[in-house]
Amino acid sequence: MGFLDALFGRTKPVKPDLDQLFGVPSAALTLEAATGFRPTGLGSVCFAAVEGGAFGEVERQVRALLDADTERGGVPVEASKDGYGYSWLLARHTPEELPELVNDLHAVNSELEANGFGPQLLCSLVAFRDERGQSLALVYLYKRGTFYPLCIRPGGQEKRNNPLEIEISNMLKNDLRIEPDLSRWFPLWGAPGLEG
């Protein structure tokens, strides 16, 4: 950062660090021990789709990569669009296969990034649930290189448990790079994998 940047309060954007995703299994152990949240085996990647053949080909490659184990009993990846027009790829594993799920999410992000579509990547999430049916997602913000917890109250209403989000973020700060700007902790209502 230069002198003028410091003088005018400008900061350099944080570079994405996809290897941060590999911290999720460690964070999951901390979460389960302290709060009872366990992985559901679901995770998804959100990106802004681009019109054109090049992006379509990369999207097909990513889906083929994730669907590679369907012949051995794996579940194919599910693609969907949300109400805002963003595309989601949902990967399913058993709850015990959290490292494999994280590898899949990392592969999707890496493939899009390697083909020049990194700017279209928005976030990835890994879903958890506790015995009361409360949903939690650890959300990775691609453009920030950080995580935040998203806790949804049970009951089908769009209500967050903000005190629990703060508690979990403090609990996981040694496992994950937590997003310090709370205004970037977006709700992601209806995100694939979060309710399922």
Side-chain angles (χ1 to χ4, degrees):
M1 180 178 347
F3 172 73
L4 289 176
D5 290 332
L7 183 65
F8 292 112
R10 294 183 291 220
T11 59
K12 287 188 178 183
V14 178
K15 286 196 71 144
D17 180 5
L18 291 175
D19 289 346
Q20 291 294 315
L21 287 167
F22 295 124
V24 170
S26 170
L29 294 174
T30 303
L31 258 180
E32 185 173 351
T35 65
F37 278 100
R38 295 180 175 192
T40 63
L42 303 175
S44 53
V45 176
C46 181
F47 54 94
V50 177
E51 296 296 324
F55 187 80
E57 180 57 31
V58 171
E59 191 174 7
R60 281 188 288 283
Q61 290 172 3
V62 166
R63 291 187 70 177
L65 175 71
L66 292 181
D67 288 343
D69 69 342
T70 55
E71 294 174 4
R72 296 185 306 262
V75 178
V77 67
E78 296 172 28
S80 64
K81 283 195 183 274
D82 65 20
Y84 298 101
Y86 293 110
S87 296
W88 290 84
L89 289 177
L90 172 67
R92 293 179 184 272
H93 286 270
T94 66
E96 297 76 32
E97 295 177 327
L98 182 59
E100 290 83 353
L101 176 64
V102 169
N103 285 341
D104 282 355
L105 299 178
H106 188 277
V108 171
N109 281 281
S110 297
E111 190 71 22
L112 288 168
E113 185 180 66
N115 284 282
F117 296 105
Q120 277 68 41
L121 284 164
L122 301 175
C123 67
S124 298
L125 68 83
V126 177
F128 296 80
R129 187 165 300 232
D130 68 6
E131 64 279 351
R132 296 180 313 257
Q134 185 164 237
S135 295
L136 163 72
L138 293 179
V139 181
Y140 175 73
L141 295 170
Y142 176 80
K143 290 174 176 63
R144 304 279 295 172
T146 56
F147 286 87
Y148 69 90
L150 172 62
C151 300
I152 308 295
R153 293 186 185 273
Q157 299 174 348
E158 293 182 346
K159 292 188 178 181
R160 294 170 68 176
N161 187 338
N162 298 115
L164 185 58
E165 290 175 353
I166 298 296
E167 179 184 333
I168 288 173
S169 70
N170 288 328
M171 182 185 313
L172 296 180
K173 64 184 174 188
N174 292 328
D175 294 303
L176 301 173
R177 187 183 300 158
I178 300 296
E179 173 56 50
D181 183 354
L182 300 184
S183 70
R184 294 184 184 270
W185 292 23
F186 305 111
L188 302 177
W189 303 125
L194 191 55
E195 287 97 20

